[in-house]
Amino acid sequence: MNSPIDPNQNHLLGALLDTEFDRLAPHLELVSMLLGDVLYESGGKLQYVYFPVTAIVSLHYLLENGGSSEIAGVGNEGLVGVSLFMGGDTTPSRAIVQTGGLGYRLKAHILMEEFNRAGPLLRLLLRYTQALLTQMSQTAVCNRHHSVEQQLCRWLLLTLDRMSGNDLTITQELIANMLGVRREGVTEAAGKLQNYGFISYRRGHITVIDRLGLEDHVCECYGVVKKEFARLLSDAPQRQGKDLSVAPVAVVRKTGYIHGSIQGSL
């Protein structure tokens, strides 16, 4: 049975001109991505780029001692694998699925063939990369200067922007890994947000009850990132009517990579 998922639900694919989309469409492969799946490891050669639709991917920078923290998130607004067309075949970050769902993958050489045409796709991807760099730099500033409570608000809002609902399947341990803080700090911050009436949570789930409350409580970092994405990408026309009927394939797996849900509880 065909999936109702459409490539145009990814904003970058939806912004391509018909001629560009028609060249890429036969090579787009719909893939399932489960929580904890690693799309590429630090230092690994990029064989594919990924265009999430309902999945959300977290980019982590890894330290020598094994620690890590999120430097950016990617959902249906973008793609995973910008280092490919920025001149490198590898990246020091790890891409791990934060929210399970579906997305499209494209072989690296196919994207580079289109990128090297130096047409609208090149300009679109470079503008997206500038927005992504803003998210990375703002994340670094936020993690250094703002409270865990404010960081959690920022992370929740950016995640909600990439989702159709307000219920997140996630553990406090995973959030702590994302923010690079102790789990106890996340427990305290989540408790305060629940007491304010902004969220409710139970084991492995967070439901946002009052988004406006989160927006009033969050630091300026969320607004900076959102405005920059809008400034750089909001004028990209979203193409309608193109369809690509592709059935989901098996979950992407790479030998030697770490898979499965990250354990922990709310």
Side-chain angles (χ1 to χ4, degrees), residues 19-38:
T19 52
E20 296 176 300
F21 180 82
D22 289 343
R23 284 193 292 265
L24 296 182
H27 307 285
L28 292 170
E29 182 181 10
L30 185 61
V31 293
S32 296
M33 294 182 255
L34 299 181
L35 172 66
D37 279 342
V38 175

Side-chain angles (χ1 to χ4, degrees), residues 63-257:
L63 301 176
E64 290 182 354
N65 64 4
S68 70
S69 62
E70 183 182 68
I71 56 176
V74 181
N76 60 5
E77 81 288 351
L79 86 160
V80 180
V82 298
S83 60
L84 177 71
F85 55 81
M86 294 300 292
D89 290 331
T90 65
T91 176
S93 62
R94 168 192 285 172
I96 184 170
V97 177
Q98 165 197 319
T99 300
L102 297 172
Y104 286 87
R105 72 179 184 181
L106 181 67
K107 290 182 178 179
H109 73 91
I110 299 294
L111 181 72
M112 288 308 301
E113 288 174 6
E114 188 63 39
F115 186 85
N116 289 332
R117 291 176 182 268
L121 175 69
L122 179 148
R123 293 186 290 273
L124 177 67
L125 292 185
L126 290 182
R127 290 166 71 182
Y128 168 72
T129 301
Q130 181 177 340
L132 185 65
L133 289 174
T134 297
Q135 183 186 170
M136 291 178 175
S137 59
Q138 204 67 37
T139 297
V141 170
C142 188
N143 290 352
R144 175 64 178 85
H145 293 284
H146 295 141
S147 68
V148 175
E149 194 174 324
Q150 290 175 310
Q151 293 176 48
L152 180 57
C153 287
R154 169 185 56 81
W155 185 86
L156 286 171
L157 287 169
L158 288 174
T159 300
L160 285 181
D161 286 345
R162 302 177 175 114
M163 298 176 60
S164 58
N166 61 352
D167 188 63
L168 289 69
T169 301
I170 193 131
T171 67
Q172 284 191 1
E173 182 177 350
L174 180 54
I175 295 174
N177 288 337
M178 299 282 188
L179 301 181
V181 300
R182 292 172 58 86
R183 179 179 167 183
E184 292 78 5
V186 174
T187 300
E188 180 180 357
K192 289 181 179 179
L193 295 183
Q194 180 163 255
N195 290 336
Y196 299 151
F198 299 160
I199 67 171
S200 67
Y201 67 84
R202 63 189 188 279
R203 184 180 179 88
H205 293 272
I206 294 179
T207 301
V208 176
I209 300 172
D210 183 0
R211 178 179 176 126
L212 291 178
L214 285 179
E215 292 178 349
D216 289 339
H217 200 67
V218 74
C219 55
E220 70 268 25
C221 298
Y222 169 66
V224 170
V225 173
K226 190 168 184 177
K227 288 177 183 177
E228 188 69 354
F229 269 87
R231 182 182 75 85
L232 291 167
L233 299 172
S234 62
D235 62 345
Q238 292 296 298
R239 187 189 59 260
Q240 299 294 329
K242 286 284 183 180
D243 185 25
L244 181 63
S245 296
V246 181
V249 299
V251 175
V252 178
R253 300 291 185 187
K254 292 178 182 285
T255 304
Y257 286 6

